Amino acid sequence: MRIESEKQLRDYRKKLADADKKLTKKIMVCHGPGCLASGAEKVSEEFEKQLKRKKITGVTVGSIKKTGCHSFCEKSPLVAIEPAQILYTRVKVKDVAEIIEKSIKGDEIIERLVYHDPHSNDAIPKYPDIPFYKHQTRIALRNLGKINACDIDDYIRVGGYEAAAKALLKMTPEGVIDEVTKANLRGRGGGGFPAGRKWKSCRAVESDVRYVVCNGDEGDPGAFMDRAIMEGDPHTVLEGMIIAAFAVGAKDGYIYVREEYPLAVVNLQKAIEQAEAIGLLGDNILGTDFSLHLHINRGAGAFVCGESSALMLSVAGNVGEPRAKYIRSVVKGLWDKPTVLNNVETYANVPMIIANGADWFTSVGAPKNAGTKAFSLVGKVRHTGLIEVPMGTPLRTIIYDIGGGILKDRPFKAVQTGGPSGGCLAEQHLDLSVDFDTLTKHGSMMGSGGMIVMDDRTCMVDVAKYFLSFLVSESCGKCIPCREGLYQLHKLAIAISEGRAQESDIEKMEHLSEMVVTGSLCGLGKSGPNPFLSTIANFRDEYLTHIRDHKCSAGVCKELIKYEIDAEKCDGCMACIAACAFNAISGKKTKPHVIDQELCTKCGACVAACTREAIMVL
Amino acid sequence: MKHDLSRVPEIIERYPQQPSSLIMVLQDIQKEFSYLPCEALEQTAAKLGVPLSKVFSVSTFYNAFSLNKKGDTVVRVCIGTACHIRGARQIQEQLETALKIQAGETTKDGKFTLEVVGCVGACAMAPVVLTNDRYHPQCKVNTVKKLVAKR
Ligand SMILES: Cc1cc2nc3c(=O)[nH]c(=O)nc-3n(C[C@H](O)[C@H](O)[C@H](O)COP(=O)(O)O)c2cc1C
Ligand code: FES
């Protein structure tokens, strides 16, 4: 079957929706990144096995759906029962039989598996009532957790490809560009450049060939939004690219996927084949004379290849060294042809803008920052997961209402956004609204959406050192200020963390940072010193404690700390003695143990093994 | 160690015989042999019409490629930001102690290679370790050694 008109698409969608309405129970097993890592595959296998054995199939009770990320990763593996909106958390293989008996055959809720409020301990069985979900607005992530990731029918059932049909059959390319421009869709890959303007410049260039490219490199460590979209809703990426290609006049498109995401490649490839099979991709899409062929390129593990010019060189089989931008890639990009490059999440927003209009899109979010932004909320926050909030949401709402506050109720120290190009914001920034302009103004940046929460046990010198070491190993080496400057910055950060630095070294670092920022070609170097600059701006005291007092108050910098056992708390269980690989702990059963400072390597094994929190890091 | 390189021509021919296929060809060779054998690089250069120097430059630029053979089990410790904040460095040190190698090295018996990687996209489950392609979420300092116990 090929779909060749809007009516055919509508009819097909209606047929799928009607069939779906007959299902009284749907089992949605999350196959998102967190759940897969926690064994979701075994859970869905068990469901399939038992449903088959118990002969529960057919029209009233559906088979299971393996969905994209349901988002509440901290509680993974997740299983949702629809349409009742019940969410079961930390589901194990042995829970499956009970879920089928009670909640699929019957209508009972299994209380032990639902979310409980950490403070009141009240059970909250329906996920829309859980604070983690309540404050979210989902546009780019709209289908995650709702549809089968690898099934074009499920995507069409929820309205998929209708925006593409609208664009191709009812709109002109200029009309599409106008709509996206009016919607003020800003690039979600970090820079926030308006997509509409980019598309317009690309279309304006005289050329027989143009390309659309999707940046799925997601290099920022600590971020997985793009992975979740590519794996869990690949068709939305394709649909966004079809609309973009139609708007700029491209016949070929490339999706550049990060090396660490093999499942994203598999799912995108499946999606491409499915869409081509029914005429929604490939030659003569929807019976029109517009054709688009999409290709997948796997990255090969280089952070810098997320940068636009490096990415295009990499797609063409070269070493990914960024080039100067006096000629922009919308003019001369991939194989020197005009090219539009957008991020995965940017493309995921496009179908919704075309389907619902620019006015709808700008009604969400903040002034000049329309729509939503997806974040991976991770680090020392109680509820980690994948979230999407309207732009302008205060950091506090994200960390405390959605994230449930800091892990173990420890004090909040900082939140890092923007990956290695971003910065750390402190307590006094918690009421800032999260949007492109506000974050940049305060020394961080939106970035692609990693949001890493830090508590008082996170050392800011160590964080700066960490990012610098990341950048040193990822710098492509083309610009000397970046290659050598970051290296020297890293060396100085190490010296501070080891208590070997002087106060004047901070000035030296500030001076060096300035040079690196001015002397580098691409964003990696230009924003490379940011993690240092933002931590020194907001946490200067912490640097000074390292330098003057040789102390790391967070208990992180190895050279400046020691481990000691609190004799009051230690009950002499010998667990730490067994855990220590260096025989540094001695003591008898039921008597407080002692650590030999000479032998202790501060590896942390004893702290993890102690059940009474008796080991102090001083 | 000698390899059966007879499959190399077939791998190269999976893609259009042009310079832009270079990275994809190298990825498939890496996957097949778990490293890039020198002879395979020479064949790739000849078939795709790319100078050997460029093949070598691409092979050494990207982290995904390795010119040395890897161990049977590749243990990858995620040191992305989320994992770092939740103790990835201590996890890495534990594995280094247990395997008696540094990150980036392979054990003498060829059983394990230890690597670090900047984010594997399961940040909510930090800290994460991968053994080959298997995820181990929320690793603990005192138990992570089990992942590399004799098997
Ligand atoms: C060093 C560096 C790394 C980058 N990494 C990514 C990335 O992983 N993903 C991404 O979408 N954009 C990344 N960018 C931004 C891209 O260059 C580009 O601006 C973006 O993909 C454009 O898409 P957008 O306008 O839709 O955001 C990176 C930029 C730099 C300088
Ligand atoms: S930081 Fe370790 S998985 Fe992302």
Side-chain angles (χ1 to χ4, degrees), chain A residues 222-243:
Chain A
F224 61 100
M225 307 76 46
D226 296 347
R227 171 181 176 187
I229 297 175
M230 290 187 286
E231 287 182 7
D233 194 12
H235 284 286
T236 199
V237 181
L238 307 193
E239 190 176 0
M241 290 185 77
I242 292 170
I243 296 169

Side-chain angles (χ1 to χ4, degrees), chain A residues 187-189 198 215 218-219 303 306-308 341-343 346 523-524:
Chain A
R188 289 344 191 209
K198 202 186 273 183
N215 192 341
E218 193 156 58
F303 170 72
E307 194 276 341
S308 53
L341 172 76
N342 278 121
N343 162 266
T346 314
L524 192 149

Side-chain angles (χ1 to χ4, degrees), chain A residues 23-194:
Chain A
L23 304 173
T24 51
K25 295 275 165 71
K26 289 190 271 183
I27 308 166
M28 323 291 272
V29 184
C30 174
H31 273 220
C35 288
L36 281 180
S38 312
E41 233 162 352
K42 291 221 172 71
V43 172
S44 56
E45 267 166 30
E46 185 69 17
F47 266 112
E48 274 166 350
K49 212 165 75 193
Q50 296 214 16
L51 289 172
K52 205 155 157 200
R53 188 168 348 116
K54 293 179 181 162
K55 297 203 171 57
I56 309 176
T57 50
V59 281
T60 47
V61 181
S63 55
I64 69 159
K65 287 188 198 285
K66 297 173 188 170
T67 73
C69 182
H70 206 286
S71 89
F72 202 177
C73 312
E74 191 241 339
K75 301 282 181 197
S76 62
L78 300 168
V79 175
I81 311 291
E82 300 285 7
Q85 299 186 317
I86 294 164
L87 184 69
Y88 287 139
T89 59
R90 302 228 167 103
V91 177
K92 305 216 168 48
V93 169
K94 64 177 173 42
D95 300 322
V96 169
E98 191 181 352
I99 296 178
I100 292 179
E101 282 310 312
K102 292 190 174 152
S103 306
I104 299 302
K105 286 187 178 170
D107 281 316
E108 220 179 302
I109 290 170
I110 305 167
E111 189 156 321
R112 112 189 120 76
L113 291 177
V114 305
Y115 172 79
H116 286 73
D117 184 282
H119 298 291
S120 67
N121 208 27
D122 291 342
I124 310 181
K126 293 194 175 202
Y127 62 84
D129 301 330
I130 301 175
F132 183 83
Y133 289 90
K134 235 199 289 193
H135 300 272
Q136 297 196 42
T137 304
R138 302 195 144 216
I139 297 177
L141 309 178
R142 63 195 177 279
N143 292 327
L144 295 185
K146 302 257 185 286
I147 64 168
N148 216 334
C150 292
D151 182 357
I152 192 168
D153 282 355
D154 227 19
Y155 183 67
I156 292 176
R157 176 179 67 77
V158 295
Y161 289 107
E162 279 189 10
K166 183 174 170 187
L168 267 57
L169 301 168
K170 290 193 178 148
M171 295 170 79
T172 59
E174 291 78 12
V176 172
I177 293 178
D178 278 349
E179 202 65 28
V180 174
T181 309
K182 250 183 28 205
N184 192 16
L185 173 64
R186 299 177 63 174
R188 289 344 191 209
F193 190 83

Side-chain angles (χ1 to χ4, degrees), chain B residues 42-78:
Chain B
E42 284 163 3
Q43 290 185 33
T44 307
K47 287 242 169 133
L48 300 184
V50 182
L52 185 59
S53 59
K54 183 177 167 190
V55 174
F56 189 71
S57 137
V58 169
S59 312
T60 48
F61 180 82
Y62 292 101
N63 290 330
F65 302 132
S66 155
L67 297 176
N68 298 316
K69 188 161 170 41
K70 293 192 183 176
D72 304 334
T73 304
V74 180
V75 182
R76 296 195 287 167
V77 183
C78 176

Side-chain angles (χ1 to χ4, degrees), chain B residues 21 30 52 72 79 90 115 117 131 138:
Chain B
S21 304
Q30 171 81 38
L52 185 59
D72 304 334
I79 53 161
Q90 292 180 328
E115 293 180 347
V117 46
T131 46
Q138 294 174 328

Side-chain angles (χ1 to χ4, degrees), chain A residues 258 299-301 318 379 462 466, chain B residues 27 54 62 79 81 84 86 118-119:
Chain A
R258 184 179 159 81
N318 302 306
D462 179 71
Y466 162 77
Chain B
Q27 278 166 329
K54 183 177 167 190
Y62 292 101
I79 53 161
T81 322
H84 178 78
R86 287 203 183 193
C119 191

